[in-house]
Amino acid sequence: MKHLLSLAILASTAIGLAVPATAQTVFLSTQLRPIEEATAVREELLSGLDKPADYVVEEPPQFAVRMEAEQQAGKHTISLVGALHGELSPLADKQTLEPLDDLAKKLAGAGMPQSLLDLGKLGKSEQQYIPWMQATYVMAANKDALQYLPEGADINKLDYDQLIAWGKNMEKATGAPQIGFPAGPKGLMARYFQGYFYPSFTGGVVRTFKNSDAAAGWAKLKELWTVVAPTSTNYDFMQEPLASGEVMVAWDHVARLKNAISASPDQYVVFPAPAGPKGRGYMPVVAGLAIPKGAPDKDNATAIIEHLATQDVQLKTASLVGFFPTLNVQLPPDLDPGVALLAGAVTATQSAPDAVISLLPVGLGDKGGEFNKVYMDAFQRIILQNEPIDAVLKAQGDTMTRLMTDAKAPCWAPDVKNDGACPVE
């Protein structure tokens, strides 16, 4: 059965990644997947190359399967990959990425911060990927909502009690809940729990999954959810309900808020997510570019990386898709006003004195989807189905323990580092 499954995976991969007749360099990416963003990559960001590239997008779980299948088959069609730090880590652990030390030195001289380049080593001695673009998650509000802020609240220093009070004021004034979250099937709600909710309430993500601080946090979230739009479970991108007026306040990835804010920059304010008892959790998102070993067109893959890392293309990336440069460049004064608003909120988040950095999951291999599901199942059971908090956290904590043990994944920030699998305490 395993043999048949492997053959099926290899067959589907070969079909899905058949090399185009024009012999373009295949660039496989888990990032910038939506049609508008992928079109911007193909028509704008990859324009001007000496040799064309075939930009192919893939969901993260399928990305891992495809990369594994190509390595096992020994038949390579992918020359360049673009993915998140945590998605590239298992490829580096399997020693399937080409070292990029010479390119890293060149880009360091062009103004790429060494701290970001060091992330691209993924704990190895050699450069595994080149940082491509970075982003985070923020909150945005229609300016009409500001009149309902609770007295004394600073929009850039909100806590959860103030957010709840704000939500109650808006609902009382408008007759409907006005806060929205991307809790739909393709929304990024799992990142809210891993990067914002858990760090803010517990100071951790895995170790603290079921402790008393987590239970108190879930109780507070239940209170918040009473003033959250019920249609949030249908929202994948918060820019649409913001623009349509379905909600007045939203949390989401900067790239998934950009269209609404860029269309009417004078209508919105953008600000950091709220703080909890342990601080203001936030998740820096770094996407990288890597070349798989055995790449059929390593030279053009290198040229594409250099092209995407130029100042002009990095600024164009920020303007078109809302991901910010990894080069240390000054954003121009004529930058899209919406992108400038988002950039200001990112800076406010990163520089907050109570900031708690939560890295993207590392070391989970192909179990990233299962990891996300632990949080989303807890959300479904506690918030949407009103099951007892302690019972749900115990059950989901047991699932988390098995997952971390099977993956042999050590802890990452903000959890305290350890040897072996990260424990649920």
Side-chain angles (χ1 to χ4, degrees), residues 8 65 92 168 204 220 230 233 237-238 270 275 299 320 355 368 418:
V65 171
K168 289 179 178 178
K220 185 64 69 176
T233 53
F237 286 60
M238 291 312 302
V270 190
D299 288 345
L320 290 174
N418 68 308

Side-chain angles (χ1 to χ4, degrees), residues 182-328:
K186 295 184 179 180
L188 296 175
M189 195 69 183
R191 298 305 191 207
Y192 165 73
F193 291 115
Q194 298 157 10
Y196 295 80
F197 173 78
Y198 260 88
S200 296
F201 281 95
T202 75
V205 177
V206 175
R207 286 181 180 269
T208 58
F209 180 82
K210 63 178 183 180
N211 69 10
S212 59
D213 289 335
W218 282 103
K220 185 64 69 176
L221 188 62
K222 288 186 74 169
E223 186 180 355
L224 172 61
W225 215 258
T226 64
V227 291
V228 168
T231 44
S232 287
T233 53
N234 298 323
Y235 296 150
D236 294 331
F237 286 60
M238 291 312 302
Q239 57 197 11
E240 288 93 346
L242 264 181
S244 67
E246 292 177 46
V247 298
M248 299 174 77
V249 177
W251 174 95
D252 208 343
H253 190 285
V254 290
R256 295 183 173 211
L257 293 167
K258 177 188 173 294
N259 287 354
I261 295 167
S262 290
S264 302
D266 294 337
Q267 190 175 334
Y268 297 100
V269 291
V270 190
F271 50 98
K278 300 293 184 180
R280 195 174 306 275
Y282 88 94
M283 179 177 278
V285 179
V286 178
L289 298 164
I291 300 176
K293 287 185 177 177
D297 197 351
K298 181 181 174 183
D299 288 345
N300 198 43
T302 302
I304 294 170
I305 295 175
E306 291 188 81
H307 171 79
L308 291 172
T310 60
Q311 179 170 315
D312 287 348
V313 177
Q314 291 255 301
L315 290 172
K316 188 183 290 187
T317 301
S319 179
L320 290 174
V321 298
F323 277 79
F324 298 101
T326 50
L327 283 179
N328 189 13

Side-chain angles (χ1 to χ4, degrees), residues 6 9-10 65-76:
S6 296
I9 291 172
L10 290 173
V65 171
R66 285 190 171 191
M67 297 305 295
E68 177 71 18
E70 289 222 351
Q71 288 297 325
Q72 288 184 357
K75 184 176 181 180
H76 301 278

